[in-house]
Amino acid sequence: MNIILLGPPGAGKGTQARRLVEEKGMEQLSTGDMLREARTSGTEMGEKVAAVMDAGQLVTDEIVIGLIEEKIKTGNPAGYIFDGFPRTLPQADALAELLSRNGAQLEAVIEIAVDDEALVDRISGRFTCGDCGEVYHDTTKPTQQEGVCDHCAGVNLKRRADDNADSLRTRLMEYYKKTSPLLGYYYANGDLKSVDGLQNIDVVAKEIEAALS
Ligand code: AMP
């Protein structure tokens, strides 16, 4: 099963993708994570995208489509969760083409809907474990022991460089200008299902499960 999790920054796409990985053995393909990894590995591409990401703008379609193409070549029997991809109409067209070239198809697009005010709060309190990727929040999901990841016991907790008020404003603008038209695109295709992302994490997960069954 191949699905897209669609929603603004801070909607909870990464958190829900990780649940699906654990429960269904699907593979999470987060272009944000791939780009962050490219940055730290010091590749030419990583250097090129760093300033764009910090400013909250979108990296070129060519770069992100190339990253996804590389990943899905290998195939995964349980399917993929596309998290943060596609973000533009050309990326959506490219994904359809790449899947069909690999004899696969898209089963569902899940919109995780959250209003803007909640996003600002979620993003400004967000931090993640640099070792296992678990996502936390200062007030709604703190670690049990300060500075230590509940999931893997790592001590590499960090905040993203682009999780600040200025960058968030740009990221939201980019979302509304370039990504939100995908909701209409997938609705017209008959693939779109929407869940209320303001509910607690377990309830959202249950609704996603129901939407997929
Ligand atoms: P994310 O972790 O999904 O919030 O992505 C972090 C940043 O990576 C975004 O603000 C963009 O700069 C870049 N990025 C991630 N995915 C894409 C994409 N599909 N298209 C363009 N830029 C992306």
Side-chain angles (χ1 to χ4, degrees):
M1 180 161 57
N2 297 301
I3 67 165
I4 296 173
L5 295 182
L6 197 59
K13 303 185 294 294
T15 301
Q16 295 299 334
R18 288 172 53 77
R19 301 262 307 222
L20 288 165
V21 169
E22 280 178 17
E23 283 159 20
K24 296 189 184 292
M26 298 167 78
E27 185 175 344
Q28 175 188 11
L29 294 183
S30 156
T31 39
D33 285 349
M34 293 175 207
L35 290 164
R36 276 184 288 279
E37 199 181 306
R39 285 179 67 154
T40 52
S41 62
T43 59
E44 195 185 322
M45 188 262 278
E47 277 171 29
K48 216 156 92 183
V49 300
V52 177
M53 291 176 75
D54 287 347
Q57 290 158 351
L58 291 191
V59 169
T60 64
D61 289 337
E62 194 191 350
I63 288 178
V64 288
I65 291 167
L67 289 171
I68 290 289
E69 185 171 11
E70 268 314 297
K71 291 277 178 186
I72 66 176
K73 257 191 210 158
T74 43
N76 180 311
Y80 295 109
I81 306 152
F82 296 96
D83 159 14
F85 179 91
R87 262 176 156 98
T88 64
L89 289 166
Q91 290 179 24
D93 285 336
L95 178 60
E97 216 271 313
L98 286 173
L99 287 173
S100 100
R101 209 193 297 161
N102 286 280
Q105 62 181 36
L106 196 59
E107 267 82 20
V109 178
I110 310 279
E111 176 199 14
I112 307 182
V114 178
D115 69 54
D116 294 347
E117 219 166 295
L119 294 176
V120 176
D121 175 61
R122 281 189 179 189
I123 288 208
S124 49
R126 176 162 77 173
F127 58 100
T128 52
C129 172
D131 295 334
C132 73
E134 189 71 3
V135 185
Y136 295 96
H137 186 277
D138 290 329
T139 50
T140 56
K141 193 186 166 195
T143 53
Q144 280 168 14
Q145 192 185 337
E146 203 180 325
V148 182
C149 174
D150 298 348
H151 195 250
C152 75
V155 290
N156 186 17
L157 299 171
K158 43 191 188 185
R159 289 177 200 269
R160 282 170 44 171
D162 59 348
D163 276 351
N164 61 71
D166 274 354
S167 169
L168 176 60
R169 208 164 300 124
T170 311
R171 284 157 74 200
L172 277 176
M173 290 292 275
E174 292 282 75
Y175 177 78
Y176 287 116
K177 274 198 293 195
K178 299 176 183 164
T179 308
S180 65
L182 295 182
L183 294 170
Y185 173 100
Y186 286 120
Y187 176 77
N189 278 357
D191 292 326
L192 187 72
K193 309 215 160 108
S194 190
V195 303
D196 175 2
L198 279 176
Q199 308 170 98
N200 91 30
I201 293 171
D202 293 336
V203 178
V204 176
K206 281 210 183 82
E207 291 198 359
I208 292 177
E209 178 81 52
L212 295 178
S213 61

